[in-house]
């Protein structure tokens, strides 16, 4: 595997982030979402959304680049006034399946939220992700929610690191 660079994302990264986002969903959410929903995810719409997110600057976004290709990303934001259990929320962390176990996700996590208090939401049945976050000090705090994608519910749990 090629050495990976983790850096702040720019608006020029929006298409690559959108690709990783959708591919990661296809690799991860097959047990939850119907195949036609996953196949129908719109890359152009997701790219436009990531361009808007990067333009807004409300979130901090980092990318992992290996061999000139974006292979993962993390997005996080400060939430001091929104009543969350910690001041920083990990909004998303995705790494292509072929890069699982390389340490790229850990590096992205560290860049996104540091080593201090933070929280995140994770699909309740995503044992791999839950174990990864637990390894990095996050524990479920009992909060649950349901995120809906194309009309399909994805039950989620909140994990917190204090």
């Amino acid at each position: 595997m090629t050495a990976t660079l983790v850096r702040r994302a720019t608006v020029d990264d929006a298409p690559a982030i959108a690709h990783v986002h959708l591919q990661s969903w296809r690799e991860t959410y097959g047990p939850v979402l119907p195949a036609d929903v996953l196949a129908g995810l719109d890359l152009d719409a997701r790219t436009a959304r990531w361009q808007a997110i990067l333009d807004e600057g409300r979130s901090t976004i980092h990318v992992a680049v290996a061999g000139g290709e974006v292979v993962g990303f993390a997005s996080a934001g400060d939430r001091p006034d929104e009543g969350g259990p910690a001041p920083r929320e990990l909004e998303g962390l995705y790494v292509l399946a072929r890069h699982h176990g390389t340490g790229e996700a850990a590096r992205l996590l560290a860049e996104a939220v540091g080593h201090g208090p933070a929280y995140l939401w994770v699909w309740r049945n995503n044992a791999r992700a839950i174990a990864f976050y637990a390894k990095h000090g996050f524990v479920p705090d009992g909060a649950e929610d349901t995120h809906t994608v194309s009309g399909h519910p994805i039950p989620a749990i909140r994990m917190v690191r204090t």
Side-chain angles (χ1 to χ4, degrees), residues 14-91:
I17 293 169
H19 167 76
V20 169
H21 200 177
L22 296 188
Q23 184 61 32
S24 294
W25 276 28
R26 291 178 179 124
E27 294 169 347
T28 303
Y29 297 126
V32 178
L33 296 173
D36 63 320
V37 170
L38 292 170
L41 294 171
D42 185 334
L43 182 60
D44 291 336
R46 186 62 53 158
T47 297
R49 181 67 187 125
W50 277 108
Q51 286 170 332
I53 290 167
L54 288 158
D55 279 338
E56 287 171 4
R58 232 178 61 104
S59 298
T60 304
I61 301 152
H62 288 83
V63 292
V65 182
E69 173 192 15
V70 172
V71 298
F73 74 90
S75 174
D78 291 327
R79 306 285 185 266
D81 299 327
E82 294 183 17
R88 191 131 176 97
E89 179 184 10
L90 180 67
E91 301 160 337

Side-chain angles (χ1 to χ4, degrees), residues 98-130:
R98 61 188 159 89
H99 287 267
H100 287 178
T102 63
E104 291 161 3
R107 291 179 59 208
L108 283 165
L109 178 65
E111 288 294 330
V113 298
H115 299 285
Y119 70 100
L120 58 95
W121 291 92
V122 62
W123 170 36
R124 181 177 60 209
N125 295 329
N126 189 341
R128 180 182 181 88
I130 292 168

